[in-house]
Amino acid sequence: MSKVAIVTGGTRGIGAAISVALKEAGHKVAANYGGNDAAAEAFTKETGIKAFKWDVSDYDACVKGIAAVEAEFGPVDIVVNNAGITRDAMLHKMTPQLWREVISTDLDSLFNMTQPLIGPMRDRGFGRIISISSINGQKGQMGQTNYSAAKAGMVGFTKALAQEVAKKGITVNVIAPGYIDTEMVQAVPPKVLESIIASIPVGRLGQADEIAHCVAFLADEKSGFITGTTLTCNGAQYIAG
């Protein structure tokens, strides 16, 4: 049955692939984005998926953005917390601003996007909350204490909320991608990228549509017994115990 989905950071990279996969699964999709108007316009023109602009680090902006989506498509049943940024620095050189920017966008956004939706989902007896973490939230990464902390925090958020809403027909899960073939990864210096690929047992980068496939699976009505889990998709680069 068709549901209404919001994908944050949904017009580029992994987010764009997720938006398309959910549309192909029959859902009505709203792709949130934060700042790149040209990319959002191109995405909508190519896919027919409408883009909605708001800052996921701002709670009030999220409330207004969700209301705009629901006014057009109806109640939101699926939220994919994909929006994220990096502001890398060794901790002894990291400023409070670099820390706060990442935590606000990557972690606070889970509260900002989920809290306004969780009550109505409970009332309707259905919901899918899926957050995109990272391999670096599982194993840590030098120079990314802010990013690793935010991505690890997603897991704790998910495990707690899953228990709160398990009897209400709502599932809450995390996907932890490894290194995916996106613009951000391709911008890594060639020698560094070569060393990254060499550390991945399957011998290649992941593809955005592979992450999107995981999201579509967890969003499906038949995935209702899977909740509170972290689904790793990293080519066996890191195997969590």
Side-chain angles (χ1 to χ4, degrees):
M1 183 181 295
S2 176
K3 303 292 184 182
V4 177
I6 294 177
V7 181
T8 68
T11 63
R12 300 173 64 193
I14 293 173
I18 292 169
S19 295
V20 170
L22 291 175
K23 180 183 178 182
E24 290 177 347
H27 302 302
K28 299 175 183 176
V29 181
N32 154 267
Y33 74 103
N36 193 325
D37 294 325
E41 290 172 8
F43 171 79
T44 297
K45 184 176 181 180
E46 179 181 351
T47 65
I49 297 171
K50 186 167 182 178
F52 293 77
K53 184 177 182 179
W54 73 83
D55 178 2
V56 293
S57 71
D58 182 327
Y59 178 82
D60 291 336
C62 290
V63 171
K64 292 178 182 178
I66 291 167
V69 171
E70 293 191 326
E72 181 147 350
F73 296 125
V76 172
D77 306 293
I78 302 164
V79 59
V80 182
N81 294 303
N82 169 73
I85 61 171
T86 56
R87 297 288 187 269
D88 296 352
M90 300 293 278
L91 187 63
H92 67 282
K93 294 183 178 180
M94 185 174 290
T95 64
Q97 181 179 354
L98 294 178
W99 175 269
R100 177 45 50 194
E101 285 179 0
V102 171
I103 297 299
S104 294
T105 299
D106 295 26
L107 183 57
D108 290 351
S109 59
L110 269 68
F111 176 86
N112 297 342
M113 286 299 303
T114 306
Q115 195 275 339
L117 291 169
I118 200 69
M121 285 180 177
R122 289 171 63 98
D123 292 341
R124 294 194 303 272
F126 182 88
R128 295 287 184 266
I129 299 163
I130 304 164
S131 298
I132 309 301
S133 181
S134 167
I135 186 175
N136 292 340
Q138 296 178 298
K139 70 176 185 61
Q141 177 61 42
M142 182 176 68
Q144 287 193 331
T145 52
N146 49 6
Y147 183 78
S148 294
K151 293 300 185 178
M154 287 183 169
V155 176
F157 176 97
T158 294
K159 288 180 177 180
L161 183 58
Q163 295 175 64
E164 292 183 14
V165 297
K167 293 183 179 180
K168 297 295 184 178
I170 303 167
T171 65
V172 194
N173 292 290
V174 169
I175 297 169
Y179 286 89
I180 307 301
D181 190 7
T182 61
E183 290 180 17
M184 182 176 68
V185 171
Q186 288 296 344
V188 171
K191 288 187 178 181
V192 176
L193 187 57
E194 287 176 12
S195 68
I196 290 172
I197 294 173
S199 71
I200 303 172
V202 300
R204 65 173 176 85
L205 297 172
Q207 297 298 312
D209 61 0
E210 292 177 305
I211 306 304
H213 176 72
C214 294
V215 172
F217 166 70
L218 290 174
D220 193 274
E221 289 187 66
K222 294 180 181 179
S223 297
F225 203 57
I226 303 170
T227 192
T229 66
T230 299
L231 175 59
T232 60
C233 187
N234 61 37
Q237 185 179 11
Y238 179 78
I239 301 174

